[in-house]
Amino acid sequence: FFLLESAFPYNCPSNIINAAGQSFNDYGYSHAGLGIWDTTSNAKFSIELVSNSYVGSLLPWLQSKGKISWNNSATIVITDPLVEKNWKSSRLVSTTSGAAYTNLISFIQSNVADFSIYQ
């Protein structure tokens, strides 16, 4: 398992990425994911929690009666194969057995509906 880091998630609008500047894009890590590398098959993929509306989760809007709200709904996204250009760094977190890997995948599949809010 690897900690993957990037400046922005894949669904961030390009005008925000461009406005952040090259230094932030190269060194500012504000998004993370879990990278999995199966060394027996050399398969690599990522698991990340991504807001459904990047701008809506970043900036609030004013509802009726002055109530402020964010659109922080989110989805677990599995990218297979891993798109390495989307990530700026990776760090080994742990190695594991096939049984632990299978349990993790089963847990995610069984509980994906519980991960619906991006914070």
Side-chain angles (χ1 to χ4, degrees):
F1 297 110
F2 290 84
L3 170 64
L4 302 173
E5 296 174 302
S6 67
F8 298 101
Y10 74 91
N11 66 340
C12 180
S14 59
N15 59 338
I16 293 175
I17 294 170
N18 295 336
Q22 192 62 45
S23 292
F24 186 83
N25 281 297
D26 287 343
Y27 304 109
Y29 301 141
S30 63
H31 179 68
L34 177 66
I36 298 178
W37 180 9
D38 179 350
T39 56
T40 59
S41 66
N42 206 34
K44 298 177 186 176
F45 63 95
S46 64
I47 302 171
E48 57 190 307
L49 183 64
V50 178
S51 63
N52 294 330
S53 167
Y54 183 82
V55 174
S57 67
L58 183 65
L59 302 172
W61 75 91
L62 194 57
Q63 292 183 339
S64 63
K65 298 183 182 180
K67 182 179 176 184
I68 294 176
S69 183
W70 280 264
N71 180 3
N72 62 346
S73 61
T75 305
I76 291 179
V77 176
I78 298 173
T79 305
D80 183 13
L82 176 72
V83 180
E84 293 186 26
K85 71 177 182 67
N86 288 353
W87 302 101
K88 300 294 182 183
S89 78
S90 66
R91 286 183 261 163
L92 180 65
V93 175
S94 72
T95 57
T96 187
S97 67
Y101 164 79
T102 301
N103 287 339
L104 172 67
I105 298 304
S106 295
F107 172 81
I108 291 171
Q109 290 171 338
S110 298
N111 296 285
V112 71
D114 294 338
F115 300 100
S116 62
I117 305 239
Y118 188 80
Q119 302 211 357

